[in-house]
Every structure is written in C-alpha cells, then in structure tokens.
Amino acid sequence: MAATMEINPELVGQGEKKTQANDLKSNLAFAVPATNSFGRTFRDYNNFQSERQKLVEEFYRLQHINQTYEFVKKLRKEYGKLNRAEMSIWECCELLNEVVDDSDPDIDEPQIEHLLQTAEAIRKDYPDEDWLHLTALIHDLGKVLHHPKFGGLPQWAVVGDTYPVGCAFDESIVHHKYFKENPDYNNPAYNTKFGAYSEGCGLNNVYMSFGHDDYMYLVAIENGTTLPAAGLFVIRYHSFYPLHKEGAYKYLMNKEDEENLKWLHIFNKYDLYSKSKVRVDLEKVKPYYQSLIKKYFPEKLKW
C-alpha cells in the first residue's frame, strides 16, 4: 500500500519543463580528475588510514541507526513548517562558510567553496542552462540545518547519502552493516522490498532519510521558485547515490522520475568531481548568480 505524505507537493508544474532526454548533451568538456582533494580515489569509504575516514564511518553508523521511518516523518513535518528564519539565498550561502560536511570523504573545505566549484563547472559546459547553474549553487543550502544559529541538528540528520526509509535498506548503501541496529531493520512493516510503498508509486510518495536534500526542496517549492521540475529533482535526490550510482530502488520510480534522473546523472558528475582545493573568485562570479537568484526566487525566503 502506498504511503500518504503529510507534505506531498508535485514535481510537475514547478516552472517550465525543460528538454527531453534526446536533447541532452553528451558533455565531453569536463575533465574528471583522478583523485580527490586528499590525493585518493573519490568516495572511498573503506580506507581507514586517516582520521577523516574514521570520522566518515562514525557519521554513517549514527545515521543508519537513527534514521527510522517514524523519525523521518516527524522531522519532515516539523521542518516543513519553514518557521525558523527569513533570509535571502545569498545570505544562506554565506552561512555555509561555517559548515564542513563530516560525511564527505573527498573534501574538508567550507560548503560555499563546493557550491561555487560545482556551479562554475556546469556553467562552463552548459552555458545556456542557467537553471542548472543556479541549481548547482543552491543544492546544498539545506545544510544550514546543522548551523548553530539555525538549530544545530546533528550531521547525521542533515548530510550524507540518502535512501528510502519504510522499506528494506539496499545493500548498496554505504556502510550498510550498521542498519542492523536500526529499529526498522527487523520490523516486518518496513523491511521488505516495497515495505510501506508500491511498485512504480513515484519517488514523490517515498520518504527519504531526512537531510538537506529534501529540506531544500521544501524551501524551494514553498517559496514559489520557478525552477523547472528537473532542477527540483536534482535538489531533492542529489545525495541518493544508491539510485543514481548503483541503480537501486528503480522499482519505486514513475515515468517522470525516469526523465528527471537523466539530468541528475549529468549534475552528479559535477557535484562529485569538481571538488578540489582550487578556489573560485567569489566577487567575480557573485553578480551573475545574484541575477539568477532574482530570476527564479523571491528576495527573501522562509526557512
């Protein structure tokens, strides 16, 4: 039986839907680096020669134990009220200067650096898709949930790879072993292939582990953004690596999810592989991104 969501906005109709799959570019311009900021392969979760790697594993241990179906429903309802702050997109970007993602094994720079690197890399290869440039800039803004001035949620409730709750945890999820301590792991209502859902129900009807992805999606739609559906999909599922990297959970997708996933595959290349120690000249690019914010968002947003 499909789950009923307390907050269940539709992806369809959020701005003009962009090009179909056969219009997507082949994108050969972006050169994928061989190593991350620490000189190792990207998304290496099994190398424990550094304190960084140990920190990442501990993060996932806590996330997998605590992210239950009921926990997600509770936080999504609570934070979906958007009654914690009122500020502009750029003000939120500046807040992220004080946040470092403990779940990321590839970089330990403040988040604003990663946002600008991703956006500028996409802008170079897709100059005509300004909605995608802005999507890249704002895709991680939900990480303000961890900021002490904003509520200070623990990182395991804000960052990291996301995955459905309310059904079986796929073995492709990083550090899957820690799910054995999650109360839902042995709950027959939630530990089967479909659990609380049904085949082809659509990702919009699926509860994902709570974090910055879904929160920023709620902020965007509730504040009346005119970003296209593909941009909203990218924001909402960019950390859903079990799907867009491993192909897990496709049986929950509908046709619109399948179309939007093609844009997410494009975005993910830049989100992951643009991470480096090379800094973007903020003052040089700021006017361009401010113009996009004005085009797609109101001046002040509820958070």
Side-chain angles (χ1 to χ4, degrees):
M1 180 176 66
T4 301
M5 304 285 278
E6 286 91 344
I7 304 171
N8 186 25
E10 295 294 331
L11 283 173
V12 180
Q14 299 297 325
E16 180 184 357
K17 190 171 184 179
K18 302 295 283 187
T19 181
Q20 296 298 313
N22 58 1
D23 293 323
L24 299 179
K25 296 182 181 180
S26 60
N27 180 30
L28 299 177
F30 183 69
V32 175
T35 59
N36 64 16
S37 296
F38 303 106
R40 296 191 296 272
T41 56
F42 284 86
R43 288 181 61 82
D44 178 2
Y45 292 98
N46 298 310
N47 181 350
F48 300 110
Q49 297 177 358
S50 71
E51 290 301 315
R52 181 72 183 169
Q53 295 299 94
K54 294 176 183 178
L55 178 68
V56 171
E57 181 173 14
E58 176 60 13
F59 162 87
Y60 277 109
R61 187 185 72 83
L62 293 172
Q63 186 205 53
H64 292 353
I65 293 172
N66 290 291
Q67 290 271 3
T68 65
Y69 185 68
E70 293 303 323
F71 171 82
V72 169
K73 287 174 64 178
K74 177 183 178 181
L75 263 69
R76 199 173 195 273
K77 183 176 181 179
E78 179 180 348
Y79 283 89
K81 296 174 183 177
L82 303 182
N83 59 1
R84 283 170 163 72
E86 184 172 318
M87 59 183 168
S88 68
I89 290 284
W90 201 265
E91 286 173 323
C92 188
C93 288
E94 291 175 340
L95 272 184
L96 287 193
N97 271 324
E98 302 172 39
V99 175
V100 174
D101 186 342
D102 285 348
S103 73
D104 194 336
D106 297 319
I107 193 170
D108 59 359
E109 295 294 317
Q111 290 300 298
I112 188 64
E113 296 294 329
H114 166 56
L115 299 181
L116 288 169
Q117 288 170 353
T118 306
E120 283 295 283
I122 290 178
R123 181 183 176 190
K124 181 179 179 181
D125 287 357
Y126 291 84
D128 299 327
E129 306 291 349
D130 67 355
W131 64 271
L132 193 57
H133 311 163
L134 182 58
T135 296
L137 181 73
I138 70 172
H139 75 281
D140 274 348
L141 291 190
K143 291 181 180 181
V144 295
L145 289 172
H146 177 63
H147 196 283
K149 294 181 179 178
F150 203 75
L153 274 177
Q155 290 222 6
W156 58 260
V158 178
V159 299
D161 289 10
T162 60
Y163 44 84
V165 294
C167 60
F169 300 114
D170 192 85
E171 291 188 1
S172 66
I173 301 171
V174 61
H175 293 308
H176 179 272
K177 60 186 177 183
Y178 293 119
F179 283 120
K180 293 180 181 179
E181 300 178 58
N182 185 302
D184 291 351
Y185 187 82
N186 293 311
N187 187 334
Y190 305 136
N191 67 2
T192 61
K193 179 178 179 179
F194 294 109
Y197 314 112
S198 60
E199 186 170 9
C201 63
L203 295 180
N204 198 52
N205 290 306
V206 174
Y207 282 103
M208 301 293 292
S209 53
F210 187 77
H212 69 283
D213 305 56
D214 200 33
Y215 174 68
M216 188 58 207
Y217 167 78
L218 292 173
V219 169
I221 60 169
E222 292 300 323
N223 283 282
T225 185
T226 55
L227 283 173
L232 294 169
F233 189 90
V234 166
I235 290 171
R236 197 175 194 184
Y237 302 111
H238 68 271
S239 300
F240 191 5
Y241 278 89
L243 171 67
H244 58 73
K245 186 175 186 293
E246 305 296 339
Y249 298 106
K250 285 188 174 181
Y251 47 82
L252 297 176
M253 295 170 60
N254 59 24
K255 290 184 178 180
E256 177 147 4
D257 294 330
E258 293 171 1
E259 290 302 314
N260 288 327
L261 182 60
K262 295 165 186 174
W263 277 110
L264 181 53
H265 279 303
I266 289 175
F267 173 84
N268 178 250
K269 179 179 178 181
Y270 298 88
D271 184 23
L272 177 58
Y273 296 114
S274 65
K275 296 172 183 176
S276 72
K277 297 292 186 180
V278 179
R279 305 188 68 174
V280 175
D281 186 336
L282 174 61
E283 293 308 313
K284 182 178 180 180
V285 302
K286 185 175 179 179
Y288 174 70
Y289 289 105
Q290 286 182 318
S291 72
L292 296 188
I293 292 169
K294 185 176 181 180
K295 178 178 179 180
Y296 289 103
F297 281 92
E299 182 177 353
K300 293 285 186 179
L301 283 71
K302 294 181 295 181
W303 300 79

